[in-house]
Amino acid sequence: MRLEINNQTHEVQSEGDTPLLWVIRDELGMTGTKYGCGLAQCGACSVLVDGAIVRSCVTPIDSVVGHSITTIEAMENDPVGQKVVAAWVAHQVPQCGYCQSGQVMAATALLKQTPNPSDDDIAAAMVNLCRCGTYNSIKAAVQDLAGQKVGTL
Ligand code: FES
Ligand code: FES
């Protein structure tokens, strides 16, 4: 099976019903995407599929063949992702850091789709769980980015 991840084609051996998260981490060795609950509850495993946020722990790989998958590893070369990471640093968002790749992916997806999101838009999009309780700093960082309309980059 061929998967297009971060603009590269990967030939993978896993069965079609294998969750994308397993393939990304275990078969392809991209460990920036995290395993939290495995039940589509926490968002630690968030990646983008054709620009939309997806929980990769419950996404079988045969459902994403022919689609464009983006992981946290691509954010260093993504103009919006770079701005999100910079805002995360400026606001000192991460605590333990475990949930943060998923949070960055959620913020990037939001800002690409809605460059100047309202507080309601932010609340609706930033629903990933954080056991360290970084919710206020996540909100402040995304509000900063909304004001800059970085999604129009
Ligand atoms: S690990 Fe996928 S939602 Fe928690
Ligand atoms: S920063 Fe620790 S779980 Fe979110």
Side-chain angles (χ1 to χ4, degrees), residues 96-118:
C96 81
Y98 197 82
C99 73
Q100 294 297 332
S101 61
Q103 306 283 7
V104 165
M105 297 308 283
T108 301
L110 169 64
L111 291 160
K112 284 181 183 243
Q113 286 161 9
T114 311
N116 191 12
S118 66

Side-chain angles (χ1 to χ4, degrees), residues 41-44 55 99 103 126-132 135:
Q41 300 293 309
C42 72
R55 295 191 164 180
C99 73
Q103 306 283 7
M126 301 304 296
V127 294
N128 288 0
L129 300 182
C130 173
R131 292 184 66 166
C132 301
Y135 302 111

Side-chain angles (χ1 to χ4, degrees), residues 1-4 9-12 64-66:
M1 204 167 288
R2 287 203 177 124
L3 297 180
E4 195 211 312
T9 302
H10 296 268
E11 190 87 37
V12 302
V64 292
V65 171

Side-chain angles (χ1 to χ4, degrees), residues 60-146:
I61 55 171
D62 59 8
S63 72
V64 292
V65 171
H67 295 270
S68 176
I69 300 158
T70 308
T71 71
I72 189 71
E73 282 82 3
M75 291 301 99
E76 64 182 345
N77 296 316
D78 183 293
V80 177
Q82 288 169 344
K83 289 277 192 183
V84 172
V85 171
W88 253 232
V89 173
H91 284 268
Q92 295 283 291
V93 173
Q95 294 297 314
C96 81
Y98 197 82
C99 73
Q100 294 297 332
S101 61
Q103 306 283 7
V104 165
M105 297 308 283
T108 301
L110 169 64
L111 291 160
K112 284 181 183 243
Q113 286 161 9
T114 311
N116 191 12
S118 66
D119 284 357
D120 284 349
D121 293 331
I122 295 170
M126 301 304 296
V127 294
N128 288 0
L129 300 182
C130 173
R131 292 184 66 166
C132 301
T134 62
Y135 302 111
N136 288 344
S137 47
I138 287 172
K139 183 179 175 190
V142 179
Q143 284 173 327
D144 263 10
L145 294 161

Side-chain angles (χ1 to χ4, degrees), residues 35-38 40-45 55 57:
Y35 170 65
C37 63
Q41 300 293 309
C42 72
C45 64
R55 295 191 164 180
C57 68

